[in-house]
Amino acid sequence: MQVHKLYVLLIVFLPFTVESQNCSGLPELLKFNTGNAVTTIKAWEKHKKELKKQFDEEMFGTQPPVPKGVRYKVVHETATAIGGKASRKRVNLYLNNLDHPLELLIYYPNGVKKAPAFLGYNFWGNHTVTFETDIPVTAQWSRNNNIIQDHKATDKMRGFSASRWPVEAIIDAGFALVTLYHGDVDPDFDDGFMNGVHGLYPREKYSWGTIAAWSWGLSYVMNYLEKDNRIDAKKVAVVGHSRLGKVALHAGATDERFALTISNNSGCGGAALSCRKKGETIKAINDRFPHWFTANFKKYNEKDDSMPFDQHQLIALVAPRPVYVASADLDAWADPEGEYLSAFLAGEVYRLYGLNGLKSDKMPAVHAPFHEGSVGYHIRAGKHDITLYDWQQYIAFATKRFCL
Ligand code: GTR
């Protein structure tokens, strides 16, 4: 064969070559671990189980089963939140022997009988999501910062994260918002897996790290949402920023009740391909956050480019349910291009289902969102954060995908 013809063939058949990016060993999505090709949906569903097991054993750790049902109590309710546009409920969920409840803060759009919803953890407690003065300050362990000392949350942080939670825009679009503090489920420090929900299950049996614990917590919240008659539980989008974006992806990959999965600037261990070794590496994340993943994951320190699995496979586990990945152009630590490429590669599995993924292996320009298929993407100008612009894209994509 003439050399130029070979080039043409390569260009036509290889949607994206990763050789130039330290990714020559990147596992192919549509191949069983034996190397046999996955060509049908049935075969993919089988391969999915292999991949799930690999992520459990090598990266996130094995979770206990999510309890059936839910124990809860509505602790406060008002129909006149957000200038009368929303109802607001505080609901406590109880778990086995956990000594404190998971405290849900829920806003419902008034006038919508059963609302589609966004569900996501917040970083600092429900009192930081809003400036409303009647949301209690969390009593759980908080990370120290220039306001918080001795890991004790304070009223001075009220509204601190309000820019990340544009409640009014969400309500105006007809969505409910459900949030809770991730520290209610598991405190974000290396405590030998003793505190939070880790303490409720034997370690010998369940190797789950904190990301898997947070994701498990979201599934328990979903048990509640299925019982809440103001929520359309078939239209719940799980959303998270940064470490909580890793959690959203894990939750979407493991619990099929999440109808849409949204990863905002999730980076290493989230949407970004590890093989590229750009931004945060596996060693860097394991060193700083040894509790996020299972012990086995440490064996991949400095082996980012030779792992038997990578993050495009995690995204693909969400298929055929829609998924959205978002980056920010100044967020080099999260490797925006790596986030884009793994979302792009996951499209192969969506195509197997007759759905569309991202069209091109080239990243779109800043503020040129792609919302046409089952894999959504945008890159925003600015730093590592979740902003009104990001939420506007999620609202638009969810409105389309949920056919609202
Ligand atoms: C960083 C961490 C990232 C990301 C981020 C966050 O320090 O390296 O993986 O999760 O924290 O959650 O804000």
Side-chain angles (χ1 to χ4, degrees):
M1 187 186 300
Q2 286 169 339
V3 175
H4 70 270
K5 277 199 184 145
L6 186 67
Y7 280 143
V8 170
L9 275 179
L10 280 175
I11 289 163
V12 171
F13 289 112
L14 289 179
F16 162 60
T17 61
V18 277
E19 276 79 0
S20 57
Q21 326 232 3
N22 305 326
C23 285
S24 55
L26 188 71
E28 283 181 43
L29 265 177
L30 296 182
K31 259 195 187 159
F32 283 105
N33 292 358
T34 55
N36 290 343
V38 170
T39 53
T40 62
I41 293 176
K42 207 166 160 219
W44 166 254
E45 299 280 340
K46 211 166 149 203
H47 183 41
K48 227 171 134 166
K49 295 201 178 95
E50 284 187 328
L51 289 177
K52 171 74 179 48
K53 188 162 178 275
Q54 195 158 32
F55 278 116
D56 282 356
E57 287 172 1
E58 302 297 303
M59 187 170 181
F60 296 103
T62 309
Q63 300 164 305
V66 177
K68 296 260 175 287
V70 60
R71 279 199 297 132
Y72 70 93
K73 189 173 169 198
V74 177
V75 289
H76 185 259
E77 205 169 353
T78 165
T80 56
I82 320 290
K85 290 179 175 181
S87 299
R88 197 195 68 199
K89 243 197 230 174
R90 287 172 33 225
V91 183
N92 285 355
L93 308 190
Y94 301 91
L95 262 167
N96 308 6
N97 303 322
L98 195 67
D99 61 358
H100 61 270
L102 315 185
E103 299 184 13
L104 301 187
L105 174 62
I106 311 181
Y107 295 89
Y108 307 84
N110 282 340
V112 179
K113 259 200 176 143
K114 260 185 172 310
F118 290 101
L119 162 64
Y121 281 119
N122 58 70
F123 271 78
W124 300 98
N126 293 345
H127 63 292
T128 66
V129 165
T130 162
F131 287 100
E132 292 159 298
T133 50
D134 58 342
I135 309 291
V137 172
T138 180
Q140 300 311 311
W141 183 95
S142 268
R143 226 164 351 122
N144 285 345
N145 60 16
N146 52 2
I147 302 172
I148 295 175
Q149 278 159 23
D150 303 324
H151 303 293
K152 225 172 148 21
T154 130
D155 198 54
K156 287 193 191 133
M157 290 276 285
R158 189 169 295 285
F160 178 82
S161 301
S163 69
R164 290 183 165 182
W165 300 97
V167 184
E168 192 163 358
I170 294 168
I171 290 295
D172 284 346
F175 287 82
L177 174 66
V178 185
T179 186
L180 70 160
Y181 175 43
H182 67 328
D184 281 2
V185 174
D186 196 39
D188 192 4
F189 69 97
D190 183 12
D191 63 359
F193 305 108
M194 304 295 284
N195 295 344
V197 296
H198 279 130
L200 305 180
Y201 294 89
R203 191 74 201 155
E204 315 78 71
K205 214 161 158 200
Y206 302 110
S207 58
W208 50 340
T210 294
I211 291 194
W214 288 330
S215 144
W216 182 96
L218 291 175
S219 289
Y220 190 61
V221 174
M222 191 64 195
N223 289 2
Y224 167 76
L225 297 181
E226 287 181 324
K227 294 209 180 320
D228 187 323
N229 58 19
R230 290 196 66 178
I231 301 280
D232 183 348
K234 297 261 178 288
K235 293 186 177 144
V236 174
V238 62
V239 56
H241 166 61
S242 202
R243 70 197 65 187
L244 302 176
K246 308 181 211 295
V247 176
L249 276 179
H250 187 271
T254 50
D255 189 336
E256 295 190 356
R257 294 176 298 172
F258 294 118
L260 164 62
T261 300
I262 302 168
S263 141
N264 188 88
N265 305 184
S266 63
C268 178
L273 287 177
S274 297
C275 63
R276 286 163 46 86
K277 298 199 278 192
K278 296 269 168 72
E280 189 170 26
T281 62
I282 290 177
K283 182 167 176 352
I285 205 166
N286 278 330
D287 284 355
R288 286 180 61 215
F289 308 101
H291 56 295
W292 280 2
F293 303 97
T294 195
N296 265 348
F297 195 48
K298 309 215 170 29
K299 75 184 187 214
Y300 299 106
N301 283 354
E302 293 176 334
K303 298 205 171 68
D304 311 55
D305 51 353
S306 59
M307 298 199 301
F309 58 93
D310 211 326
Q311 300 311 107
H312 60 314
Q313 294 171 312
L314 184 68
I315 298 177
L317 287 179
V318 178
R321 290 161 296 133
V323 67
Y324 198 115
V325 171
S327 309
D329 68 347
L330 300 181
D331 189 15
W333 190 237
D335 184 18
E337 197 178 2
E339 294 179 319
Y340 179 77
L341 288 172
S342 64
F344 169 72
L345 290 172
E348 240 189 319
V349 174
Y350 284 86
R351 279 189 288 280
L352 197 64
Y353 283 95
L355 301 165
N356 292 323
L358 298 170
K359 277 214 181 89
S360 161
D361 63 335
K362 302 276 170 303
M363 281 182 83
V366 162
H367 297 172
F370 183 84
H371 290 175
E372 300 319 311
S374 293
V375 183
Y377 180 84
H378 72 258
I379 178 160
R380 163 182 60 73
K383 64 179 175 63
H384 187 70
D385 198 1
I386 180 165
T387 67
L388 176 62
Y389 176 84
D390 297 313
W391 277 100
Q392 285 165 338
Q393 310 318 309
Y394 304 146
I395 290 168
F397 189 74
T399 302
K400 235 184 199 170
R401 296 282 80 85
F402 290 165
C403 302
L404 300 173

